[in-house]
Amino acid sequence: MPHATTRDDVRIYFEEAGHGTPIIFLHEFAADYSNWEPQMRYFSRGHRCITYSARGYAPSDVPASAEVYTYKHFYTDALAVLDHLSIDRAHLVGLSMGAYSSLQIGLNAPGRALSMTLAGVGSGSELDNLEAWRKQCRANAEQFETLGSLEVAKVTRDAPSRIPFLVKDPRGHADFYAALARHDARGSANTMRGFQGGRPSIYSMTDAIRRVATPALIICGDEDDPCVGPSLFLKKHLLAAGLAMFPKSGHVLNLEEPALFNETVERFVTLVEAGRWPVRDPRSVAAN
């Protein structure tokens, strides 16, 4: 099985398909490498596509200590996969947790990103509710440890932002959460405690975000309430950002609306590669 090795000797499982300019897909908390299959099949017709499972998600390694599950570990793991494949720069396509990691690459290693697609980004960012969010993440981690992934999946699948997926595609929804129920409980607990519950709010990084000129596409479902505000915030402060709002859509955008997702990202990537996704023209900004 193909693996890349991180700086702290964690093995990261990856798959690749196609040829051309690289695209790397970064999954959300409830997913793994396999949930990008609709995008791997579509984009590999014209690009070199890479998908991988983050640390804590089989068949990648599942380190025992929560201390090695910080947001820094997650975004540098993506870079480790690119390094292993001798890829200097790639388009980053991330959902939720993967979108946050993509943004961190844009902030800390902008030379590695040809573009950033940030889908379902920013849940848990509200500063006035940050401690409550972190407390809930710690509680969720304990549930994974005490109840196991199967029982936690039963709760996660009924979260408000995941109901649109159920309404549109009950079969796809059922398959997705059956897979979540098979996730390694220790890895999920460590990810929830270290990454989800420990990452800085995007609202605390305004100055750094304003300096990022990497072409960015923000995608948000209009029924993914925790991500609407952060998506608008990123659209306002990222220099070269566009915003796509998917109607009647929730959080799992790449599976909930695969055709629309693929079309939207493809148009973005095509414009970036043609040099036609510039920073915002100051003339388009309304005066206060």
Side-chain angles (χ1 to χ4, degrees):
M1 299 176 73
H3 289 86
T5 302
T6 69
R7 290 183 294 183
D8 58 341
D9 293 323
V10 174
R11 297 189 312 150
I12 303 295
Y13 174 80
F14 68 89
E15 292 185 0
E16 60 176 327
H19 304 278
T21 305
I23 302 176
I24 186 168
F25 297 95
L26 295 80
H27 67 77
E28 66 143 316
F29 172 80
D32 59 26
Y33 79 95
S34 65
N35 296 106
W36 289 111
E37 187 62 23
Q39 287 67 49
M40 291 289 288
R41 294 184 180 188
Y42 185 83
F43 286 98
S44 63
R45 301 174 187 189
H47 288 80
R48 181 184 183 186
C49 295
I50 302 100
T51 181
Y52 71 97
S53 277
R55 61 177 62 208
Y57 293 79
S60 293
D61 287 349
V62 182
S65 172
E67 295 180 357
V68 297
Y69 286 79
T70 70
Y71 76 95
K72 294 180 180 179
H73 288 92
F74 276 74
Y75 85 75
T76 56
D77 285 355
L79 297 177
V81 174
L82 295 180
D83 289 342
H84 177 82
L85 295 172
S86 299
I87 295 173
D88 292 329
R89 304 180 74 198
H91 296 286
L92 312 175
V93 179
L95 176 67
S96 192
M97 181 175 79
Y100 188 94
S101 294
S102 298
L103 177 62
Q104 288 295 332
I105 292 173
L107 293 172
N108 295 284
R112 306 300 300 274
L114 291 169
S115 73
M116 306 181 296
T117 295
L118 311 176
V121 65
S123 61
S125 290
E126 300 299 332
L127 293 174
D128 59 358
N129 197 47
L130 190 57
E131 186 49 46
W133 163 264
R134 291 176 172 168
K135 182 178 179 181
Q136 184 60 55
C137 288
R138 293 192 293 269
N140 291 346
E142 292 177 4
Q143 288 179 332
F144 273 107
E145 291 171 334
T146 58
L147 301 178
S149 296
L150 176 61
E151 293 303 315
V152 177
K154 294 177 181 178
V155 177
T156 304
R157 69 188 182 190
D158 293 328
S161 63
R162 298 177 184 270
I163 296 303
F165 188 15
L166 171 64
V167 172
K168 294 176 186 176
D169 183 6
R171 287 172 63 89
H173 182 273
D175 287 346
F176 183 86
Y177 289 101
L180 173 61
R182 296 191 294 269
H183 283 188
D184 186 284
R186 180 176 63 179
S188 294
N190 285 341
T191 304
M192 182 60 68
R193 185 176 287 117
F195 181 98
Q196 299 285 73
R199 61 186 176 183
S201 164
I202 63 169
Y203 293 136
S204 69
M205 301 183 289
T206 306
D207 291 342
I209 288 171
R210 285 174 174 165
R211 293 192 291 270
V212 175
T214 303
L217 172 64
I218 303 151
I219 307 178
C220 186
D222 64 352
E223 295 181 4
D224 188 6
D225 292 344
C227 294
V228 171
S231 295
L232 293 172
F233 172 85
L234 289 171
K235 166 56 188 170
K236 178 180 179 180
H237 294 294
L238 284 170
L239 292 172
L243 172 63
M245 193 71 73
F246 284 11
K248 302 298 291 180
S249 297
H251 195 61
V252 195
L253 293 169
N254 69 305
L255 299 179
E256 185 181 325
E257 292 287 355
L260 180 59
F261 186 92
N262 292 349
E263 178 186 359
T264 304
V265 175
E266 182 180 43
R267 180 178 181 273
F268 167 60
V269 168
T270 299
L271 289 171
V272 170
E273 292 181 354
R276 298 292 294 167
W277 192 275
V279 299
R280 185 172 183 180
D281 191 312
R283 295 173 296 176
S284 72
V285 180
N288 293 327

